[in-house]
Amino acid sequence: MVVPPEEGQLTTSAVRILVATAVPAERDAVAQAFPDPSGELRTLPGGLTVRRLTPLPHRYDLLAAGVGPALAAASTATALTAAVLEGDPYDVVVSAGIAGGFAPDAPVASLVLADQITAADLGAETPDGFLPVTDLGFGTVTHLPPPDLVRRAAAATGARTGTVLTVSTVTGTAHRATGLRTRHPGALAEAMEGFGVAEAAGAHGIPVLELRAVSNPVGPRDRSAWRIKDALESLTAGFGKLAPVLESWKRA
């Protein structure tokens, strides 16, 4: 488990925020929370692009980092490293997007904030069940966002707080959903990028937050139950309420 960086304090200075989503649709939903969502496109090493929004004096760089924890980690690390090399590092990283929610605690279109970002399937299968990689004597499976930031963000957005699981394979059966909830009773949602984003942020010593809007229940794969449009609209509304919290919070 990786402990969170130091608690934050209120600030009136400029805050630099990297927002990593999986796909452009999620990035665009976050951008819609701002008066000028078009921003400025900037190219990073490797051909990645970030959309820079500057609600002065603050700065948001929105990155469609890719699907899955590995690509999300690599893309986020690239953006973080580029900022350091430019002499203008980020203050906080936000993993944002849509997710599956565990019923009944995280209904469709609701918002979830992670108080733990956990890799649910990083480990080994054994005759006695699943072992996380930490039980094998190495690595980490959980990153902890700063509790004070989570509290402030939850109060502002109305989001439920709990564990957000990162999976490499989206759950498609009731059996797997039950197994995940049994191993992680505090889990509210599953997505595919949060842990990768958190790994990159942790390597740079930067606080991380994960905000998810629920698009479907975790369980049997039923595309007729997906409400992606509603979830993206919830993500826009939620990020609009989250932004002032991010802008007033800074590491001590």
Side-chain angles (χ1 to χ4, degrees):
M1 180 180 293
V2 175
V3 298
E6 295 179 8
E7 287 290 332
Q9 58 188 3
L10 293 178
T11 181
T12 56
S13 60
V15 179
R16 297 166 299 279
I17 300 152
L18 176 65
V19 183
T21 69
V23 297
E26 294 166 317
R27 177 202 61 200
D28 295 346
V30 171
Q32 289 299 319
F34 297 91
D36 179 11
S38 56
E40 171 195 359
L41 290 180
R42 296 172 59 88
T43 302
L44 302 179
L48 288 172
T49 60
V50 294
R51 180 179 297 179
R52 176 161 294 181
L53 309 179
T54 50
L56 296 175
H58 310 289
R59 189 184 84 215
Y60 292 81
D61 284 351
L62 311 185
L63 171 69
V67 174
L71 184 54
S75 299
T76 302
T78 296
L80 294 173
T81 300
V84 170
L85 293 175
E86 292 173 359
D88 195 18
Y90 294 103
D91 296 296
V92 64
V93 179
V94 182
S95 175
I98 63 176
F102 286 96
D105 300 311
V108 171
S110 67
L111 292 172
V112 172
L113 270 165
D115 57 17
Q116 296 189 47
I117 301 171
T118 296
D121 49 14
L122 181 60
E125 292 289 349
T126 77
D128 298 319
F130 178 81
L131 286 180
V133 72
T134 47
D135 285 9
L136 303 177
F138 53 90
T140 184
V141 293
T142 294
H143 288 267
L144 301 178
D148 178 63
L149 180 56
V150 173
R151 285 192 296 270
R152 295 181 192 180
T157 62
R160 295 163 171 83
T161 59
T163 301
V164 176
L165 302 178
T166 298
V167 296
S168 295
T169 301
V170 173
T171 298
T173 66
H175 176 75
R176 185 167 189 253
T178 299
L180 286 174
R181 201 69 186 279
T182 298
R183 292 205 307 268
H184 306 281
L188 290 182
E190 71 164 27
M192 301 183 74
E193 295 78 32
F195 184 78
V197 173
E199 285 276 83
H204 281 259
I206 299 174
V208 66
L209 196 66
E210 184 169 9
L211 175 69
R212 294 286 174 175
V214 177
S215 59
N216 57 277
V218 177
R221 189 171 177 82
D222 177 11
R223 297 194 65 158
S224 67
W226 295 0
R227 288 169 52 191
I228 292 176
K229 181 176 181 292
D230 292 343
L232 291 173
E233 290 174 352
S234 292
L235 181 63
T236 299
F239 209 94
K241 296 173 183 177
L242 175 63
V245 177
L246 298 171
E247 293 165 8
S248 65
W249 186 92
K250 197 165 187 176
R251 283 177 291 170

